[in-house]
Amino acid sequence: MRDIFDAIQRSAIRIKKAIDVKDIGYSQQENSSGETQLQLDIQCDMIIEEEFSGVKSINTIASEEKEHEEQFHEDGKYFIAYDPLDGSSLVDVNLSVGSIFGIYENKFGAAHMVASCYVVYGPRVEMVFAENKTKLYLLQAGEFEFVKEIRLNEKGKLNAPGGTQQNWASYHKEMVDSFFAEGYRLRYSGGMVPDLHQILLKGGGLFSYPGTSDKPEGKLRRLFEVFPFAFIYQKSGGGAIDGVNDLMTLGHSHIHDTAVCFFGSNYEIARVKEVYARNI
């Protein structure tokens, strides 16, 4: 695992430099969702692939930017699914973005996840890595230094509701509004990594991306985004559900499958379960 941890660090340092370059224009290519890719998306994908290709313990990689997985080393035991630059469209307005890594053993799938990591590129570059515990690292003078272990409180104060409101179910909107009525503060940038990072470091709250009328199965991808953050939140003492089920019990039939998802501290997750149990 150490060799993978080191490769992620090297990738993060190179991606930070790529983000700082002036030109982040669109390419002529589309990703697996049919979205036109930024040059920066392609470059970050190439950086991570290059760093991982030399790690003998990695069997196969899957990138959110590519339709199919790619095998590196037949004898390797780790399978890594990654989003090279989550929220890349926010770069041109100078908001924080991130990279997400789900590390699986022997095959892809939540039941096979053994570690998870994400990197936040903001005013500072921070990395969160979860294996047995969730740990925060800070990039200092070209090296990632350990800062602290992260634990969520039982109840938080932040509310980050994703999806277009006009496409929400009425009971979901009522639930979101009820948190605001309790005094929760809105924190939503449109980037999954910075929003979930803020909730994690501020002690708790709720991030939600529900099923909507236009995307009933949710928007966020299981292998690249949902499972990695579910693993991190659970290792941090919080919860991660699809409204009813533990996200880490879900399967997948394709590497780009999506899921409805809620991440938060225990109080908020319990509320989501109550609301969804009455309405689904």
Side-chain angles (χ1 to χ4, degrees):
M1 188 68 73
R2 181 71 210 187
D3 51 359
I4 295 172
F5 185 61
D6 290 343
I8 290 173
Q9 292 182 69
R10 292 193 301 270
S11 297
I13 292 168
R14 292 177 63 186
I15 289 171
K16 173 57 177 171
K17 291 178 181 177
I19 290 171
D20 288 343
V21 172
K22 183 178 179 181
D23 183 15
I24 56 166
Y26 285 94
S27 71
Q28 300 303 309
Q29 301 179 46
E30 292 184 347
N31 65 14
S32 59
S33 300
E35 301 163 336
T36 303
Q37 293 172 297
L38 288 168
Q39 295 283 1
L40 189 57
D41 287 316
I42 298 169
Q43 186 177 358
C44 293
D45 189 26
M46 291 174 62
I47 287 170
I48 294 171
E49 182 176 341
E50 184 178 298
E51 292 292 348
F52 282 169
S53 66
V55 180
K56 300 296 184 183
S57 64
I58 297 177
N59 183 301
T60 300
I61 64 167
S63 168
E64 190 183 40
E65 297 299 324
K66 292 187 175 73
E67 184 65 28
H68 303 290
E69 57 197 64
E70 179 181 356
Q71 187 176 60
F72 281 161
H73 305 288
E74 189 175 351
D75 295 333
K77 68 177 180 178
Y78 294 113
F79 288 61
I80 302 181
Y82 64 91
D83 184 348
L85 199 63
D86 175 75
S88 57
S89 62
L90 300 175
V91 171
D92 63 351
V93 292
N94 207 26
L95 293 180
S96 295
V97 293
S99 301
I100 311 169
F101 305 87
I103 303 168
Y104 306 86
E105 191 168 319
N106 298 321
K107 64 189 296 188
F108 290 118
H112 302 277
M113 179 166 275
V114 292
S116 178
C117 179
Y118 69 84
V119 181
V120 185
Y121 310 99
R124 306 193 300 181
V125 178
E126 294 183 325
M127 177 173 61
V128 171
F129 190 92
E131 195 171 4
N132 298 317
K133 298 178 180 179
T134 305
K135 298 179 179 180
L136 173 68
Y137 298 82
L138 174 64
L139 183 62
Q140 295 276 277
E143 299 283 342
F144 278 94
E145 297 181 1
F146 173 74
V147 177
K148 64 179 181 178
E149 182 182 335
I150 301 172
R151 295 294 295 176
L152 285 160
N153 297 328
E154 281 296 300
K155 182 180 185 297
K157 299 178 180 177
L158 305 181
N159 193 6
T164 305
Q165 288 195 38
Q166 68 181 23
N167 297 325
W168 288 353
S170 58
Y171 59 86
H172 178 80
K173 185 177 189 315
E174 289 171 6
M175 181 190 71
V176 169
D177 290 343
S178 73
F179 282 115
F180 288 131
E182 282 186 39
Y184 281 66
R185 296 189 293 272
L186 174 66
R187 294 290 185 271
Y188 193 80
S189 70
M192 185 183 190
V193 171
D195 291 339
L196 278 164
H197 185 62
Q198 183 170 191
I199 290 172
L200 201 60
L201 265 62
K202 292 294 186 181
L206 180 68
F207 176 99
S208 54
Y209 211 107
T212 56
S213 58
D214 59 332
K215 292 184 182 293
E217 297 300 317
K219 176 185 177 183
L220 301 175
R221 291 171 175 80
R222 299 185 184 201
L223 291 179
F224 307 101
E225 299 163 317
V226 175
F227 295 158
F229 269 108
F231 187 91
I232 287 170
Y233 265 67
Q234 291 181 1
K235 293 296 182 182
S236 305
I241 61 173
D242 65 358
V244 178
N245 306 297
D246 180 338
L247 287 170
M248 296 302 289
T249 66
L250 302 183
H252 74 283
S253 57
H254 188 276
I255 63 170
H256 290 284
D257 281 350
T258 61
V260 172
C261 52
F262 300 86
F263 308 91
S265 32
N266 292 327
Y267 172 83
E268 293 84 13
I269 293 299
R271 280 275 298 282
V272 173
K273 283 183 178 179
E274 290 175 8
V275 170
Y276 272 69
R278 293 196 304 266
N279 290 282
I280 291 183

